[in-house]
């Protein structure tokens, strides 16, 4: 027999024996299981099934789930098969596989655990109420049979609840994974400039604050670059805002592709960008800035209706000991202003 669910839920022979010991089932109970089938269930089968469904359909949840003749007929067949196998070979992996399979099916159908437990109780009551008089008059057999029914129903219920709990746990884990993906997406969306794909002003400024603290603690060099697209207003005025968006995206792409893997760049505002060059002194930072400037100036930007020559001006500043973020940005911004005043399309160093 295919042991798909035993494998899925981790049931091997050792775990089977643990569960049987927990509910108190032993080898001696095989005899009792056979007698119950022969003396009660088989000869009184129809009466047991009829009584079970008469009682079950008094429960509103059950009536809602078995709302059509077709569903009721299918469930009677399932319950009949279940009843005729009750307790037979309870210590085998195939028995556990069958019970787990039933539990999975009911879990998938959305059967509440509370209704599942009530159903087991009704089934056992239906069997006991159909004990023949000869059995009722034999106190030892009566006690043996009822005790066995309690133990086997506990086993079957525990397996059903296992599948329901584990399936719900897996569903919860999948939902949690989905929530984490959504949270990650929302977090990324919150810090990302939607046009350029760079981090936004708030996030790059926060990154700079953290970088300054780290570099001052490690006494390592750190430079920033303030970069601004030259004559960007004329692009919007002469070619439209869609062209301006295209220029921003292409310039952003060229900047990102020119940086080292551990550098950070963000859209600071409008057509302005802030670059954080970790472990870079002024000489290194100037080389990086010149590389970016030349790559932007060297190749016209291909827009839907035109090729557009674009240049960029840049101001570079290296953090001083004990300097705060506002002072550093102010010095880089002043250097950028000087680059603009001196003719644009150039890199200027802060004092």
């Amino acid at each position: 027999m295919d042991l798909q669910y035993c494998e899925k839920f981790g049931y091997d022979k050792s775990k089977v024996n643990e569960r049987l010991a927990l509910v108190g089932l032993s080898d001696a109970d095989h005899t009792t299981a056979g007698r119950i089938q022969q003396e009660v269930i088989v000869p009184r089968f129809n009466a047991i099934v009829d009584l079970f469904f008469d009682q079950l359909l008094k429960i509103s949840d059950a009536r809602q789930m078995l709302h059509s003749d077709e569903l009721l007929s299918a469930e009677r067949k399932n319950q009949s098969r279940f009843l005729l196998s009750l307790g037979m070979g309870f210590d085998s992996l195939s028995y556990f596989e069958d019970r787990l399979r039933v539990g999975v099916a009911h879990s998938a159908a959305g059967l509440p655990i509370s209704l599942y437990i009530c159903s087991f109780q009704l089934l056992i009551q239906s069997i006991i109420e159909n004990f023949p008089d000869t059995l009722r008059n034999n106190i030892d057999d009566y006690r043996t049979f009822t005790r066995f029914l309690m133990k086997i129903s506990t086993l079957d219920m525990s397996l059903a609840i296992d599948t329901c709990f584990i399936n719900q746990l897996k569903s919860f884990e999948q939902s949690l994974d989905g929530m984490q993906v959504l949270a990650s997406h929302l977090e990324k969306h919150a810090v990302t400039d939607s046009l350029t794909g760079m981090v936004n002003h708030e996030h790059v400024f926060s990154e700079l604050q953290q970088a300054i603290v780290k570099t001052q603690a490690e006494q390592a060099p750190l430079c920033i670059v303030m970069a601004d697209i030259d004559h960007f207003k004329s692009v919007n005025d002469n070619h439209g805002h869609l062209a301006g968006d295209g220029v921003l995206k292409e310039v952003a792409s060229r900047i990102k592709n020119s940086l080292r893997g551990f550098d950070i760049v963000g859209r600071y505002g409008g057509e302005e960008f802030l670059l954080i060059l970790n472990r870079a002194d002024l000489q290194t930072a100037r080389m990086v800035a010149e590389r970016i400037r030349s790559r932007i100036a060297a190749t016209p930007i291909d827009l839907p209706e035109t090729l557009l020559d674009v240049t960029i001006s840049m101001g570079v500043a290296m953090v001083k000991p004990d300097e705060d973020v506002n002072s550093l940005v102010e010095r880089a911004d002043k250097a950028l202003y000087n680059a603009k005043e001196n003719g644009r399309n150039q890199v200027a160093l802060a004092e």
Side-chain angles (χ1 to χ4, degrees):
M1 180 181 182
D2 179 20
L3 299 177
Q4 171 188 352
Y5 293 106
C6 281
E7 293 176 2
K8 178 179 180 180
F9 296 111
Y11 278 95
D12 54 16
K13 196 61 180 176
S14 176
K15 190 171 180 180
V16 165
N17 291 335
E18 287 179 8
R19 183 58 58 89
L20 295 177
L22 184 63
V23 300
L25 285 165
S26 65
D27 288 343
D29 289 305
H30 285 294
T31 301
T32 305
R35 288 190 60 195
I36 287 180
Q37 286 289 337
Q38 294 173 5
E39 299 177 28
V40 182
I41 293 177
V42 172
R44 300 286 297 168
F45 175 75
N46 290 328
I48 293 171
V49 173
D50 289 343
L51 179 58
F52 169 74
F53 278 98
D54 285 346
Q55 298 300 315
L56 182 66
L57 292 176
K58 292 179 181 178
I59 302 173
S60 59
D61 286 347
R63 289 198 304 273
Q64 291 176 6
M65 297 199 71
L66 303 174
H67 54 81
S68 69
D69 291 341
E70 183 180 358
L71 288 172
L72 182 59
S73 176
E75 187 57 29
R76 284 183 69 96
K77 289 180 180 178
N78 290 333
Q79 193 61 41
S80 298
R81 185 188 62 80
F82 184 88
L83 182 61
L84 289 171
S85 65
L86 185 70
M88 301 305 293
F90 58 77
D91 57 357
S92 66
L93 285 171
S94 60
Y95 186 91
F96 273 65
E97 177 71 18
D98 182 72
R99 267 37 187 175
L100 291 169
R101 190 180 300 276
V102 171
V104 168
H106 284 133
S107 176
L111 184 69
I113 292 179
S114 57
L115 182 56
Y116 215 110
I117 295 172
C118 290
S119 297
F120 270 100
Q121 180 185 3
L122 291 176
L123 180 64
I124 299 307
Q125 287 178 348
S126 299
I127 295 172
I128 292 174
E129 289 187 25
N130 277 279
F131 279 0
D133 291 340
T134 53
L135 179 56
R136 293 180 181 279
N137 294 332
N138 186 322
I139 191 64
D140 291 335
D141 281 351
Y142 184 85
R143 287 176 177 172
T144 300
F145 279 28
T146 54
R147 286 173 181 168
F148 173 78
L149 289 172
M150 293 303 106
K151 288 188 287 187
I152 199 64
S153 64
T154 300
L155 173 64
D156 288 356
M157 275 193 295
S158 73
L159 296 177
I161 292 171
D162 275 357
T163 60
C164 184
F165 174 77
I166 293 173
N167 278 347
Q168 287 179 348
L169 181 61
K170 288 183 180 296
S171 176
F172 173 75
E173 289 173 345
Q174 290 170 354
S175 297
L176 185 60
D177 288 343
M179 290 173 65
Q180 289 173 338
V181 170
L182 177 60
S184 176
H185 173 76
L186 291 174
E187 181 181 1
K188 182 178 179 181
H189 180 75
V191 303
T192 302
D193 174 62
S194 59
L195 178 63
T196 63
M198 292 178 168
V199 294
N200 58 24
H201 174 98
E202 290 78 10
H203 190 71
V204 74
F205 199 79
S206 174
E207 290 281 357
L208 178 56
Q209 289 176 310
Q210 296 176 44
I212 290 175
V213 171
K214 182 178 180 181
T215 196
Q216 289 175 341
E218 296 176 351
Q219 296 184 341
L222 171 73
C223 285
I224 67 167
V225 180
M226 296 296 294
D228 187 88
I229 300 174
D230 296 328
H231 302 296
F232 183 72
K233 184 176 184 298
S234 67
V235 175
N236 283 329
D237 291 345
N238 297 328
H239 302 281
H241 288 283
L242 288 178
D245 288 348
V247 168
L248 279 169
K249 287 191 286 187
E250 180 58 25
V251 168
S253 176
R254 294 185 190 183
I255 291 175
K256 287 188 288 186
N257 290 334
S258 301
L259 292 178
R260 301 168 300 174
F262 47 84
D263 294 327
I264 299 170
V265 59
R267 186 179 178 189
Y268 199 68
E271 68 275 19
E272 198 169 22
F273 305 92
L274 170 60
L275 289 65
I276 305 172
L277 307 182
N278 291 294
R279 299 187 176 278
D281 56 19
L282 274 176
Q283 182 179 0
T284 301
R286 182 171 189 168
M287 290 174 56
V288 173
E290 281 290 353
R291 181 168 68 238
I292 294 170
R293 184 202 62 75
S294 63
R295 287 184 179 179
I296 291 172
T299 306
I301 294 177
D302 189 4
L303 298 174
E305 297 182 359
T306 184
L307 283 174
L308 200 62
D309 289 315
V310 174
T311 61
I312 192 168
S313 298
M314 313 178 85
V316 181
M318 187 169 76
V319 67
K320 297 178 179 180
D322 301 322
E323 186 173 29
D324 63 29
V325 64
N326 292 322
S327 172
L328 178 63
V329 170
E330 184 178 350
R331 290 196 299 115
D333 208 34
K334 186 174 181 180
L336 171 61
Y337 176 81
N338 291 336
K340 292 278 191 182
E341 286 293 299
N342 291 330
R344 296 182 171 84
N345 188 28
Q346 60 184 271
V347 176
L349 303 182
E351 297 177 356

